[in-house]
Every structure is written in C-alpha cells, then in structure tokens.
Amino acid sequence: MTIRVVVADDQELVRSGFAMILDAQDDIEVVAEAGDGAAAVEAVARHAPDVALLDIRMPVLDGIEACRAISARGACRTVMLTTFDADEYVYEALHAGASGFLLKDVRRDDLVHAVRVVAAGESLLAPSVARRLIEEYTAATARPAVPAFAADRLEVLTARERETLLHLGRGLSNAEIAAALVVSEHTVKSHVGNVLAKLGLRDRIQAVICAYETGLIAAGSAGAAVPAGAPSGVSASGVSPSAG
C-alpha cells in the first residue's frame, strides 16, 4: 500500500527537500506541498493523505491550528516539524492531535521511518522532544489552559492496567514492561490496548501525558524522562513506534 503524504513548510527548500526524500521511496507518494497552514488543511481535504508533515510555525494558519483542523476532519495523521527541540508549542501540538514531533535536522532514514510508523497508526517523538515533554509540559500546572486528565479517570483501570500506565509514563517499551510485570509481551500489548481504550487515549503519547496529569507520576521524578544518552534518531522508548 502506498502512503500518501502532504508536506507543509513555509521554507521552500526545506519543504522540497522533505518531499524529494519521501517521494524517492517506493511505498510513499507526496501528493501535495503547502507553504502555510491554511493551504495544508485545504490540501489534506482535497487529497485525503495518510500523513501530513506540518511545520509548527507557518503563516496564515500555524501548524497547531492546522493540526487541530486536520485531526478533527478525518483519518489523516500529523507529524509536527520544528527547528527547535525547546519549542514552547510541543504540548499544545500533541493535544491538538499530533501523532509525532520531529526536529528538522532529522536524518533522511529517520524521516522516512517516521512517516511509515505514523501511517501505521502508531506514534513517535524525537528523544529530545520527549524529554522536554515529560520534564516540563506534562506537569499538571504547566499549561492550565489545556484541559488536564482528572485523576479519578484512573478508577476504570484494573490494578495491572494502572501499573502498565505507570510504566508507559516512565518511558518503558513493551519488552521492558513485560520484564517488570513478569508477563509476556502479548499480555502487555493487551494491557496497553485496554488502557488506551478505557481512558479514551489516541496513542502512547497521550498515555504518557495522562500518567503525569493524573498524578500517577510526579513531573521530574526519577526514571521518568527519556535517558539523556538516548539515541539521536526519531524514536523514544515508551512514545515510540510500538503503539500497542
């Protein structure tokens, strides 16, 4: 199956470069390019792509609002692009429905991998972005304007599902969670799926946010963040290509 992609960035060279890299893949087709957020929303409505790459800072309509509009309309999944890993809009972008967040200096192979991962219905973040999200933007008081997850929502979870959410929030992969709970990875996948379904979460990224905003994990607690020595690629354990 061919993955259809819309690439939106107000810098023509950046936009064209990403489009060229993706179009060179046998399983990916760039169906449209856009130079601003409004044009990106229009392109998604016209071409019905599987994935939209959105620069977070664009004229006319910024990437966050474009992401929100695209997420509300249908099945197209979005990956936000930024020059800065300290972008103050990471948290808002994820709440707007973004399935991933990458830096523009992402390696060629990692960009292609990211599109494939997100098209498959999974999620991912650049490790440096994941660290920032976990350490700052998931704190309950970090963004009071954004509705937080109420702690009583966790009452629908079984004890084992709550443990699973705790480990997701700490950034563990399915294999690591299986080792911690002394169960099979298949069982962990079932637990993760139940957690997402019961809490109405889209993916593991939202599960990480939920773990912090409900107070299950305190922001800045030991072992919570992605290790400082994490690889420079696009995946981060716990908010990575392993969605369930």
Coordinates of all heavy atoms in Angstrom, one line a residue, residues 90-189:
V90 N 5.1 22.3 21.9 CA 5.1 20.9 21.9 C 3.8 20.3 22.5 O 3.1 19.5 21.9 CB 6.3 20.2 22.5 CG1 6.2 18.7 22.6 CG2 7.6 20.6 21.8
Y91 N 3.6 20.7 23.7 CA 2.4 20.2 24.5 C 1.1 20.5 23.8 O 0.3 19.6 23.6 CB 2.4 20.9 25.8 CG 1.4 20.3 26.8 CD1 1.5 19.0 27.3 CD2 0.5 21.1 27.4 CE1 0.7 18.5 28.2 CE2 -0.4 20.6 28.3 CZ -0.3 19.3 28.7 OH -1.2 18.8 29.7
E92 N 0.9 21.8 23.3 CA -0.3 22.1 22.6 C -0.5 21.3 21.3 O -1.6 20.9 20.9 CB -0.3 23.6 22.3 CG -0.6 24.5 23.5 CD 0.7 24.8 24.3 OE1 1.7 24.1 24.0 OE2 0.6 25.7 25.2
A93 N 0.6 21.1 20.6 CA 0.6 20.3 19.3 C 0.1 18.9 19.6 O -0.7 18.4 18.8 CB 1.9 20.3 18.7
L94 N 0.6 18.3 20.6 CA 0.2 16.9 20.9 C -1.3 16.8 21.3 O -2.0 15.9 21.0 CB 1.1 16.3 22.0 CG 2.5 16.1 21.6 CD1 3.4 15.6 22.8 CD2 2.7 15.2 20.4
H95 N -1.7 17.8 22.1 CA -3.1 17.9 22.5 C -4.0 18.2 21.3 O -5.2 17.9 21.3 CB -3.4 18.9 23.6 CG -3.2 18.3 25.0 ND1 -4.2 17.6 25.6 CD2 -2.2 18.3 25.8 CE1 -3.8 17.2 26.8 NE2 -2.5 17.6 26.9
A96 N -3.5 18.9 20.3 CA -4.2 19.2 19.1 C -4.4 18.0 18.2 O -5.2 18.0 17.2 CB -3.5 20.3 18.3
G97 N -3.7 16.9 18.5 CA -3.9 15.7 17.8 C -2.7 15.1 17.0 O -2.8 14.2 16.3
A98 N -1.5 15.8 17.2 CA -0.3 15.3 16.5 C 0.1 13.9 17.0 O 0.0 13.6 18.1 CB 0.8 16.3 16.8
S99 N 0.5 13.1 16.0 CA 0.9 11.8 16.3 C 2.4 11.7 16.5 O 3.0 10.6 16.8 CB 0.5 10.8 15.2 OG -0.9 10.7 15.1
G100 N 3.1 12.8 16.2 CA 4.6 12.7 16.3 C 5.2 14.1 16.3 O 4.5 15.1 15.9
F101 N 6.4 14.3 16.7 CA 7.1 15.5 16.7 C 8.6 15.3 16.4 O 9.2 14.6 17.0 CB 7.0 16.1 18.1 CG 6.9 17.6 18.1 CD1 5.7 18.3 18.4 CD2 8.0 18.4 17.9 CE1 5.6 19.7 18.4 CE2 8.0 19.8 17.9 CZ 6.8 20.4 18.2
L102 N 9.0 15.9 15.3 CA 10.4 15.7 14.8 C 11.1 17.1 14.7 O 10.5 18.1 14.4 CB 10.4 15.0 13.4 CG 9.8 13.6 13.4 CD1 9.8 13.2 11.9 CD2 10.5 12.7 14.2
L103 N 12.4 17.0 14.8 CA 13.3 18.2 14.5 C 13.6 18.2 13.0 O 13.7 17.1 12.4 CB 14.5 18.2 15.4 CG 14.4 18.1 16.9 CD1 15.7 18.2 17.5 CD2 13.4 19.1 17.4
K104 N 13.8 19.4 12.5 CA 14.0 19.5 11.0 C 15.4 18.9 10.6 O 15.6 18.7 9.5 CB 13.9 20.9 10.6 CG 12.4 21.4 10.5 CD 12.3 22.8 9.9 CE 10.9 23.3 9.9 NZ 10.8 24.6 9.3
D105 N 16.3 18.7 11.6 CA 17.6 18.1 11.3 C 17.5 16.6 11.3 O 18.6 16.0 11.4 CB 18.7 18.7 12.2 CG 18.4 18.3 13.7 OD1 17.4 17.7 14.0 OD2 19.3 18.7 14.5
V106 N 16.3 16.1 11.3 CA 16.1 14.6 11.4 C 16.9 14.0 10.2 O 17.0 14.5 9.1 CB 14.6 14.2 11.3 CG1 14.0 14.7 10.0 CG2 14.4 12.7 11.5
R107 N 17.5 12.8 10.4 CA 18.2 12.1 9.4 C 17.2 11.6 8.3 O 16.0 11.3 8.6 CB 19.0 10.9 9.9 CG 20.1 11.4 10.9 CD 20.8 10.2 11.4 NE 19.9 9.2 12.1 CZ 20.3 8.1 12.6 NH1 21.6 7.7 12.5 NH2 19.5 7.3 13.2
R108 N 17.7 11.5 7.1 CA 16.9 11.0 6.0 C 16.1 9.7 6.3 O 14.9 9.6 6.1 CB 17.8 10.8 4.7 CG 17.0 10.2 3.5 CD 18.1 9.8 2.5 NE 18.9 10.9 2.1 CZ 18.7 11.6 1.0 NH1 17.8 11.3 0.1 NH2 19.6 12.6 0.7
D109 N 16.8 8.7 6.8 CA 16.2 7.4 7.0 C 15.2 7.5 8.2 O 14.2 6.8 8.2 CB 17.3 6.4 7.4 CG 18.1 6.0 6.2 OD1 17.7 6.3 5.1 OD2 19.2 5.4 6.4
D110 N 15.5 8.4 9.1 CA 14.6 8.5 10.3 C 13.3 9.2 9.9 O 12.2 9.0 10.4 CB 15.2 9.3 11.4 CG 16.3 8.4 12.1 OD1 16.2 7.2 12.0 OD2 17.2 9.0 12.7
L111 N 13.4 10.2 8.9 CA 12.2 10.9 8.4 C 11.3 9.8 7.7 O 10.1 9.8 8.0 CB 12.6 12.0 7.4 CG 11.4 12.6 6.7 CD1 10.5 13.4 7.7 CD2 12.0 13.6 5.6
V112 N 11.9 9.0 6.9 CA 11.1 8.0 6.2 C 10.5 7.0 7.1 O 9.3 6.7 7.0 CB 12.0 7.2 5.2 CG1 11.2 6.1 4.5 CG2 12.5 8.2 4.1
H113 N 11.3 6.6 8.1 CA 10.8 5.7 9.2 C 9.6 6.3 9.9 O 8.6 5.6 10.2 CB 11.9 5.3 10.1 CG 11.4 4.5 11.3 ND1 11.0 3.2 11.2 CD2 11.3 4.9 12.6 CE1 10.7 2.8 12.4 NE2 10.9 3.7 13.3
A114 N 9.7 7.6 10.2 CA 8.7 8.3 11.0 C 7.3 8.3 10.2 O 6.3 8.0 10.8 CB 9.1 9.7 11.3
V115 N 7.4 8.6 8.9 CA 6.2 8.6 8.1 C 5.5 7.2 8.1 O 4.3 7.0 8.2 CB 6.5 9.1 6.7 CG1 5.3 8.8 5.8 CG2 6.9 10.5 6.7
R116 N 6.4 6.2 8.0 CA 5.8 4.8 7.9 C 5.2 4.4 9.3 O 4.1 3.8 9.3 CB 6.9 3.8 7.6 CG 7.4 3.9 6.1 CD 8.6 3.1 5.8 NE 9.0 3.1 4.4 CZ 10.2 2.9 4.0 NH1 11.2 2.7 4.8 NH2 10.4 3.0 2.7
V117 N 5.8 4.8 10.3 CA 5.3 4.5 11.7 C 4.0 5.1 11.9 O 3.0 4.5 12.4 CB 6.4 4.9 12.7 CG1 5.7 5.0 14.1 CG2 7.6 3.9 12.8
V118 N 3.9 6.4 11.6 CA 2.7 7.2 11.9 C 1.6 6.7 11.0 O 0.4 6.6 11.4 CB 3.0 8.7 11.7 CG1 1.7 9.5 11.8 CG2 3.9 9.2 12.9
A119 N 1.9 6.4 9.7 CA 0.9 5.9 8.8 C 0.3 4.6 9.3 O -0.8 4.3 9.0 CB 1.5 5.7 7.4
A120 N 1.1 3.8 10.0 CA 0.6 2.5 10.5 C -0.2 2.7 11.8 O -0.7 1.7 12.4 CB 1.8 1.6 10.9
G121 N -0.5 3.9 12.1 CA -1.4 4.2 13.3 C -0.7 4.3 14.6 O -1.3 4.2 15.7
E122 N 0.7 4.4 14.6 CA 1.5 4.4 15.8 C 1.9 5.9 16.0 O 1.5 6.8 15.4 CB 2.6 3.4 15.7 CG 2.0 2.0 15.5 CD 3.1 1.0 15.1 OE1 4.2 1.4 14.9 OE2 2.7 -0.2 15.0
S123 N 2.8 6.1 16.9 CA 3.3 7.4 17.3 C 4.7 7.5 17.7 O 5.3 6.4 18.1 CB 2.4 7.9 18.5 OG 2.5 7.0 19.6
L124 N 5.3 8.6 17.6 CA 6.7 8.8 18.0 C 7.1 10.2 18.2 O 6.5 11.1 17.7 CB 7.6 8.1 16.9 CG 8.3 8.8 15.8 CD1 8.9 7.9 14.9 CD2 7.4 9.7 15.0
L125 N 8.2 10.4 19.0 CA 8.8 11.7 19.2 C 10.3 11.6 19.1 O 10.9 10.6 19.4 CB 8.4 12.2 20.7 CG 7.0 12.4 21.0 CD1 6.9 12.8 22.5 CD2 6.4 13.5 20.2
A126 N 10.9 12.7 18.7 CA 12.3 12.8 18.8 C 12.7 12.7 20.3 O 12.0 13.3 21.1 CB 12.8 14.1 18.2
P127 N 13.7 12.0 20.7 CA 14.0 11.8 22.1 C 14.2 13.1 22.8 O 13.7 13.2 24.0 CB 15.4 11.0 22.0 CG 15.3 10.2 20.8 CD 14.6 11.1 19.8
S128 N 14.8 14.1 22.3 CA 15.0 15.4 23.0 C 13.6 16.1 23.2 O 13.4 16.7 24.2 CB 15.9 16.3 22.2 OG 15.4 16.6 20.9
V129 N 12.7 15.9 22.3 CA 11.4 16.4 22.4 C 10.6 15.7 23.5 O 9.9 16.3 24.3 CB 10.6 16.4 21.1 CG1 9.2 16.9 21.3 CG2 11.3 17.3 20.0
A130 N 10.8 14.4 23.5 CA 10.2 13.5 24.5 C 10.6 13.9 25.9 O 9.8 14.0 26.9 CB 10.5 12.1 24.3
R131 N 11.9 14.2 26.1 CA 12.4 14.6 27.4 C 11.8 15.9 27.8 O 11.4 16.1 28.9 CB 14.0 14.8 27.3 CG 14.7 13.5 27.3 CD 16.2 13.7 27.6 NE 16.9 14.6 26.7 CZ 17.4 14.2 25.6 NH1 17.4 12.9 25.3 NH2 18.0 15.0 24.8
R132 N 11.7 16.9 26.9 CA 11.1 18.2 27.2 C 9.6 18.0 27.6 O 9.1 18.6 28.5 CB 11.2 19.1 26.0 CG 10.6 20.5 26.4 CD 11.0 21.5 25.3 NE 10.4 22.8 25.5 CZ 10.9 23.7 26.3 NH1 12.0 23.4 27.0 NH2 10.3 24.8 26.5
L133 N 8.9 17.2 26.8 CA 7.5 16.9 27.1 C 7.3 16.3 28.5 O 6.5 16.8 29.3 CB 6.9 15.9 26.0 CG 5.5 15.4 26.3 CD1 4.5 16.5 26.2 CD2 5.2 14.3 25.4
I134 N 8.1 15.3 28.8 CA 8.0 14.6 30.1 C 8.4 15.5 31.2 O 7.7 15.6 32.3 CB 8.8 13.3 30.1 CG1 8.1 12.3 29.1 CG2 8.8 12.7 31.5 CD1 8.9 11.1 28.9
E135 N 9.5 16.2 31.1 CA 10.0 17.0 32.2 C 9.2 18.3 32.4 O 9.2 18.8 33.6 CB 11.5 17.4 31.9 CG 12.4 16.1 31.9 CD 13.8 16.4 31.4 OE1 14.0 17.6 31.0 OE2 14.6 15.5 31.5
E136 N 8.6 18.9 31.4 CA 8.0 20.2 31.6 C 6.5 20.2 31.2 O 5.7 20.6 32.0 CB 8.8 21.3 30.8 CG 10.2 21.4 31.2 CD 10.9 22.5 30.4 OE1 10.2 23.5 30.0 OE2 12.1 22.5 30.3
Y137 N 6.2 19.8 30.0 CA 4.9 20.0 29.5 C 3.8 19.1 30.0 O 2.6 19.3 29.8 CB 4.9 20.0 28.0 CG 5.5 21.3 27.4 CD1 6.9 21.3 27.2 CD2 4.8 22.4 27.2 CE1 7.5 22.5 26.7 CE2 5.4 23.6 26.8 CZ 6.7 23.6 26.5 OH 7.3 24.8 26.1
T138 N 4.2 18.0 30.7 CA 3.2 17.1 31.2 C 2.9 17.4 32.7 O 2.1 16.8 33.3 CB 3.6 15.7 31.1 OG1 4.9 15.5 31.7 CG2 3.7 15.2 29.7
A139 N 3.6 18.4 33.3 CA 3.3 18.8 34.6 C 1.8 19.4 34.7 O 1.4 20.1 33.8 CB 4.3 19.9 35.1
A140 N 1.1 19.1 35.7 CA -0.3 19.5 35.8 C -0.5 21.0 35.7 O -1.5 21.5 35.2 CB -0.9 18.9 37.0
T141 N 0.5 21.7 36.2 CA 0.4 23.2 36.2 C 1.1 23.8 35.0 O 1.1 25.1 34.9 CB 0.9 23.8 37.5 OG1 2.3 23.4 37.6 CG2 0.2 23.3 38.7
A142 N 1.6 23.1 34.1 CA 2.4 23.6 33.0 C 1.6 24.4 32.1 O 2.0 25.5 31.6 CB 3.2 22.5 32.3
R143 N 0.4 23.9 31.7 CA -0.4 24.6 30.8 C -1.9 24.6 31.3 O -2.7 23.8 30.8 CB -0.3 23.9 29.4 CG 1.0 24.2 28.7 CD 1.1 25.7 28.3 NE 2.3 26.0 27.5 CZ 3.4 26.3 28.1 NH1 3.6 26.3 29.4 NH2 4.5 26.6 27.3
P144 N -2.3 25.4 32.2 CA -3.6 25.3 32.8 C -4.7 25.6 31.8 O -5.8 25.2 32.0 CB -3.6 26.5 33.9 CG -2.4 27.4 33.4 CD -1.4 26.5 32.8
A145 N -4.4 26.2 30.6 CA -5.4 26.5 29.7 C -5.9 25.2 28.9 O -6.9 25.2 28.3 CB -4.9 27.5 28.6
V146 N -5.0 24.2 29.0 CA -5.4 22.9 28.3 C -6.0 22.0 29.3 O -5.4 21.7 30.4 CB -4.1 22.3 27.7 CG1 -4.4 20.9 27.1 CG2 -3.4 23.2 26.8
P147 N -7.2 21.4 29.0 CA -7.9 20.5 30.0 C -7.0 19.4 30.4 O -6.4 18.7 29.6 CB -9.1 20.0 29.2 CG -9.3 21.1 28.1 CD -7.9 21.6 27.8
A148 N -6.8 19.2 31.7 CA -6.0 18.1 32.2 C -6.8 16.8 32.4 O -8.0 16.9 32.5 CB -5.3 18.5 33.5
F149 N -6.1 15.7 32.5 CA -6.7 14.5 32.8 C -7.1 14.4 34.2 O -6.2 14.6 35.1 CB -5.8 13.3 32.4 CG -5.6 13.2 30.9 CD1 -4.4 13.6 30.4 CD2 -6.5 12.6 30.1 CE1 -4.1 13.5 29.0 CE2 -6.3 12.5 28.7 CZ -5.1 12.9 28.2
A150 N -8.3 14.2 34.6 CA -8.7 14.1 36.0 C -8.2 12.8 36.6 O -8.3 11.7 36.0 CB -10.2 14.2 36.1
A151 N -7.7 12.9 37.8 CA -7.2 11.7 38.5 C -8.2 10.6 38.6 O -7.9 9.4 38.6 CB -6.6 12.1 39.9
D152 N -9.5 10.9 38.8 CA -10.5 9.9 39.0 C -10.8 9.1 37.8 O -11.4 8.0 37.8 CB -11.8 10.5 39.6 CG -12.4 11.5 38.6 OD1 -11.9 11.7 37.5 OD2 -13.4 12.2 39.1
R153 N -10.2 9.5 36.6 CA -10.4 8.7 35.4 C -9.7 7.3 35.5 O -10.1 6.4 34.9 CB -9.8 9.5 34.2 CG -10.6 10.7 33.7 CD -10.0 11.3 32.5 NE -9.9 10.3 31.4 CZ -9.4 10.6 30.2 NH1 -8.8 11.8 30.0 NH2 -9.4 9.7 29.2
L154 N -8.7 7.3 36.4 CA -7.9 6.0 36.5 C -8.7 5.0 37.2 O -8.3 3.8 37.3 CB -6.6 6.3 37.3 CG -5.6 7.3 36.6 CD1 -4.3 7.3 37.4 CD2 -5.4 7.0 35.1
E155 N -9.8 5.3 37.8 CA -10.6 4.3 38.6 C -11.2 3.2 37.7 O -11.5 2.1 38.1 CB -11.8 5.0 39.3 CG -11.3 6.0 40.4 CD -12.5 6.7 41.0 OE1 -13.7 6.5 40.6 OE2 -12.3 7.5 42.0
V156 N -11.2 3.5 36.3 CA -11.7 2.5 35.4 C -10.7 1.4 35.1 O -11.0 0.3 34.6 CB -12.2 3.1 34.1 CG1 -13.3 4.1 34.3 CG2 -11.1 3.7 33.3
L157 N -9.5 1.6 35.5 CA -8.4 0.7 35.3 C -8.3 -0.4 36.3 O -8.5 -0.1 37.5 CB -7.1 1.4 35.1 CG -6.9 2.5 34.1 CD1 -5.5 3.1 34.1 CD2 -7.2 2.0 32.7
T158 N -7.9 -1.6 35.9 CA -7.6 -2.6 36.9 C -6.2 -2.3 37.5 O -5.5 -1.4 37.0 CB -7.5 -4.0 36.3 OG1 -6.4 -4.0 35.3 CG2 -8.8 -4.3 35.5
A159 N -5.8 -3.0 38.6 CA -4.5 -2.7 39.2 C -3.4 -2.9 38.2 O -2.4 -2.2 38.1 CB -4.3 -3.6 40.4
R160 N -3.5 -4.0 37.4 CA -2.4 -4.3 36.5 C -2.4 -3.3 35.3 O -1.3 -2.9 34.8 CB -2.6 -5.7 35.9 CG -1.5 -6.2 35.0 CD -0.1 -6.0 35.5 NE 0.2 -6.6 36.8 CZ 0.8 -7.8 36.9 NH1 1.1 -8.5 35.8 NH2 1.1 -8.3 38.1
E161 N -3.5 -2.8 34.9 CA -3.6 -1.8 33.9 C -3.0 -0.4 34.4 O -2.3 0.3 33.6 CB -5.0 -1.6 33.4 CG -5.5 -2.7 32.6 CD -7.0 -2.7 32.4 OE1 -7.7 -1.8 33.0 OE2 -7.6 -3.6 31.7
R162 N -3.2 -0.2 35.7 CA -2.6 1.0 36.2 C -1.1 0.9 36.3 O -0.4 1.9 36.0 CB -3.2 1.3 37.7 CG -2.8 2.6 38.3 CD -3.4 2.7 39.7 NE -4.8 2.9 39.6 CZ -5.4 4.0 40.1 NH1 -4.7 5.0 40.6 NH2 -6.7 4.1 40.0
E163 N -0.6 -0.3 36.6 CA 0.8 -0.5 36.6 C 1.4 -0.3 35.2 O 2.4 0.3 35.0 CB 1.1 -1.9 37.1 CG 1.0 -2.2 38.5 CD 1.4 -3.6 38.8 OE1 2.6 -3.8 39.1 OE2 0.6 -4.5 38.8
T164 N 0.6 -0.8 34.2 CA 1.0 -0.6 32.8 C 1.1 0.9 32.4 O 2.1 1.3 31.8 CB 0.1 -1.3 31.9 OG1 0.0 -2.7 32.2 CG2 0.5 -1.2 30.4
L165 N 0.1 1.6 32.8 CA 0.2 3.1 32.6 C 1.3 3.7 33.2 O 2.0 4.6 32.7 CB -1.2 3.7 33.0 CG -1.3 5.2 32.8 CD1 -1.1 5.6 31.4 CD2 -2.6 5.7 33.4
L166 N 1.6 3.3 34.5 CA 2.8 3.9 35.2 C 4.1 3.6 34.4 O 4.9 4.5 34.2 CB 2.9 3.2 36.6 CG 4.1 3.6 37.4 CD1 4.1 5.0 37.8 CD2 4.2 2.7 38.7
H167 N 4.2 2.4 33.9 CA 5.5 2.1 33.1 C 5.5 2.8 31.8 O 6.6 3.2 31.3 CB 5.6 0.6 32.9 CG 5.8 -0.2 34.2 ND1 6.9 0.2 35.0 CD2 5.2 -1.3 34.7 CE1 6.9 -0.7 36.1 NE2 5.9 -1.6 35.9
L168 N 4.3 3.0 31.2 CA 4.3 3.8 29.9 C 4.8 5.2 30.2 O 5.5 5.8 29.4 CB 2.8 3.8 29.4 CG 2.3 2.6 28.7 CD1 0.8 2.7 28.4 CD2 3.1 2.2 27.5
G169 N 4.3 5.8 31.3 CA 4.7 7.1 31.7 C 6.1 7.3 32.0 O 6.7 8.3 31.8
R170 N 6.8 6.2 32.4 CA 8.2 6.2 32.7 C 9.0 6.0 31.4 O 10.3 6.0 31.5 CB 8.5 5.2 33.8 CG 8.1 5.6 35.1 CD 8.3 4.5 36.2 NE 8.0 5.0 37.5 CZ 7.8 4.3 38.6 NH1 7.9 2.9 38.5 NH2 7.6 4.8 39.8
G171 N 8.4 5.7 30.3 CA 9.1 5.6 29.1 C 9.5 4.2 28.8 O 10.5 4.0 28.0
L172 N 8.9 3.1 29.3 CA 9.3 1.8 29.1 C 8.7 1.2 27.8 O 7.6 1.5 27.5 CB 9.0 0.8 30.2 CG 9.6 1.2 31.6 CD1 9.3 0.0 32.6 CD2 11.0 1.4 31.5
S173 N 9.4 0.4 27.1 CA 8.9 -0.3 25.9 C 8.1 -1.5 26.4 O 8.1 -1.8 27.6 CB 10.1 -0.8 25.1 OG 10.8 -1.8 25.8
N174 N 7.4 -2.1 25.4 CA 6.6 -3.3 25.8 C 7.4 -4.4 26.4 O 7.0 -5.0 27.3 CB 5.9 -3.8 24.5 CG 4.6 -3.0 24.2 OD1 4.3 -2.0 24.9 ND2 4.0 -3.3 23.1
A175 N 8.6 -4.6 25.8 CA 9.5 -5.6 26.3 C 9.9 -5.3 27.8 O 10.0 -6.2 28.6 CB 10.7 -5.8 25.4
E176 N 10.2 -4.1 28.0 CA 10.6 -3.7 29.4 C 9.5 -3.8 30.4 O 9.7 -4.2 31.5 CB 11.2 -2.3 29.4 CG 12.5 -2.1 28.6 CD 12.9 -0.7 28.3 OE1 12.0 0.2 28.2 OE2 14.1 -0.5 28.2
I177 N 8.3 -3.4 29.9 CA 7.1 -3.6 30.8 C 6.9 -5.1 31.1 O 6.5 -5.4 32.2 CB 5.9 -2.9 30.1 CG1 6.1 -1.4 30.0 CG2 4.6 -3.2 31.0 CD1 5.0 -0.7 29.2
A178 N 7.0 -5.9 30.1 CA 6.8 -7.3 30.3 C 7.8 -7.9 31.3 O 7.4 -8.7 32.2 CB 7.0 -8.1 28.9
A179 N 9.0 -7.4 31.3 CA 10.0 -7.9 32.2 C 9.7 -7.4 33.6 O 9.8 -8.1 34.6 CB 11.4 -7.4 31.8
A180 N 9.2 -6.1 33.7 CA 8.9 -5.6 35.0 C 7.6 -6.3 35.7 O 7.6 -6.5 36.9 CB 8.6 -4.1 34.9
L181 N 6.7 -6.6 34.8 CA 5.4 -7.3 35.3 C 5.5 -8.8 35.3 O 4.6 -9.4 35.8 CB 4.2 -6.8 34.5 CG 3.9 -5.3 34.4 CD1 2.7 -5.0 33.6 CD2 3.8 -4.8 35.8
V182 N 6.6 -9.3 34.8 CA 6.8 -10.8 34.6 C 5.6 -11.4 33.9 O 5.0 -12.3 34.4 CB 7.0 -11.4 36.0 CG1 7.5 -12.8 35.9 CG2 7.9 -10.6 36.9
V183 N 5.4 -10.8 32.7 CA 4.3 -11.4 31.8 C 4.9 -11.4 30.4 O 6.0 -10.9 30.2 CB 3.0 -10.6 31.9 CG1 2.4 -10.6 33.3 CG2 3.3 -9.1 31.5
S184 N 4.1 -11.9 29.5 CA 4.6 -11.9 28.1 C 4.3 -10.6 27.4 O 3.5 -9.8 27.9 CB 3.8 -13.0 27.3 OG 2.5 -12.6 27.1
E185 N 5.0 -10.3 26.3 CA 4.8 -9.0 25.6 C 3.4 -9.0 25.0 O 2.8 -7.9 24.9 CB 5.8 -8.9 24.4 CG 7.2 -8.5 24.9 CD 8.1 -8.1 23.8 OE1 7.7 -7.2 23.0 OE2 9.2 -8.7 23.7
H186 N 2.9 -10.2 24.6 CA 1.5 -10.2 24.1 C 0.5 -9.7 25.2 O -0.4 -9.0 24.9 CB 1.1 -11.7 23.7 CG -0.3 -11.8 23.3 ND1 -0.7 -11.4 22.0 CD2 -1.4 -12.4 23.9 CE1 -2.0 -11.7 21.9 NE2 -2.4 -12.3 23.0
T187 N 0.7 -10.2 26.4 CA -0.1 -9.7 27.5 C 0.0 -8.2 27.7 O -1.0 -7.5 28.0 CB 0.3 -10.4 28.8 OG1 0.0 -11.8 28.7 CG2 -0.6 -9.9 30.0
V188 N 1.2 -7.7 27.6 CA 1.5 -6.2 27.8 C 0.7 -5.5 26.7 O 0.1 -4.5 27.0 CB 3.0 -5.9 27.7 CG1 3.2 -4.4 27.6 CG2 3.7 -6.5 28.9
K189 N 0.8 -6.0 25.5 CA 0.0 -5.3 24.4 C -1.4 -5.3 24.7 O -2.1 -4.3 24.4 CB 0.3 -6.0 23.1 CG 1.7 -5.9 22.6 CD 1.9 -6.5 21.2 CE 1.3 -5.6 20.1 NZ 1.6 -6.0 18.8

